[in-house]
Amino acid sequence: MQQTDPKTDIIELAAKQLKATSYIQTRDRSIPTWKEFLSNWHFIDQETGEIRTFKNRWPGQDRFADLMEKEPWIFALKARKLGFSEIECAWDGYVATTQPRARVHLFSRREDAAADLKQRVEFGLKALPDGLRLPVLSSSYLQLTIGHETDKR
């Protein structure tokens, strides 16, 4: 008789049950969808200095935003002027705002570039409408803490 690993059996059983079950996820209506949040995100156009939003996205930006919501990892070959960096900063703001006790890490090749990304996220968070905005608890060159004292986001 063949010996089986009980842990493997449990994992296989759980995987089969997950595949067989149709999950209906309900959403807390007080939390905006990603697209609702993105439409309210403000950013500074790096070329013109103008404050803009993503209310009117072009199709490539919309597809990229859809992928961000569906896929755990995205490798996007990007060129300048597509708005992907700004959408990524908005995604970081969305996760930080809507996920309890979230941690968001911004990486770049140089420290000053990472600090620039952090500033972009902070600007967008502060520009959100009152109903979406969380208070900034602390801000330094490379770190930002938002939320309420009670939940320490």
Side-chain angles (χ1 to χ4, degrees), residues 87-105:
I87 292 175
E88 183 276 326
C89 287
W91 177 257
D92 294 337
Y94 179 71
V95 170
T97 301
T98 62
Q99 302 300 312
R101 302 184 56 77
R103 287 181 68 112
V104 176
H105 298 264

Side-chain angles (χ1 to χ4, degrees), residues 11-139:
I11 292 169
E12 287 175 9
L13 178 63
K16 286 178 186 174
Q17 287 176 342
L18 283 172
K19 287 179 184 175
T21 305
S22 172
Y23 281 93
I24 299 172
Q25 296 183 350
T26 57
R27 187 174 68 77
D28 180 347
R29 295 292 174 200
S30 66
I31 298 174
T33 66
W34 163 229
K35 292 283 187 79
E36 291 167 346
F37 186 91
L38 185 58
S39 293
N40 284 286
W41 187 259
H42 291 75
F43 64 95
I44 299 172
D45 184 308
Q46 298 299 304
E47 194 169 290
T48 66
E50 176 186 355
I51 296 174
R52 301 181 55 200
T53 70
F54 283 112
K55 284 185 179 144
N56 298 309
R57 297 175 292 277
W58 56 274
Q61 291 172 327
D62 233 14
R63 284 192 301 271
F64 185 57
D66 288 340
L67 278 173
M68 294 175 95
E69 195 169 32
K70 294 175 187 168
E71 300 296 335
W73 294 90
I74 301 172
F75 294 96
L77 301 176
K78 68 181 223 71
R80 309 273 311 151
K81 314 293 183 246
L82 297 179
F84 285 7
S85 294
E86 296 298 343
I87 292 175
E88 183 276 326
C89 287
W91 177 257
D92 294 337
Y94 179 71
V95 170
T97 301
T98 62
Q99 302 300 312
R101 302 184 56 77
R103 287 181 68 112
V104 176
H105 298 264
L106 304 165
F107 295 94
S108 194
R109 191 169 56 98
R110 294 181 336 269
E111 184 177 292
D112 63 326
D116 178 63
L117 290 172
K118 179 256 173 190
Q119 288 174 335
R120 292 182 194 193
V121 172
E122 185 173 2
F123 176 85
L125 288 170
K126 288 179 175 178
L128 286 170
D130 288 342
L132 297 177
R133 186 177 341 122
L134 290 174
V136 172
L137 300 177
S138 67
S139 180

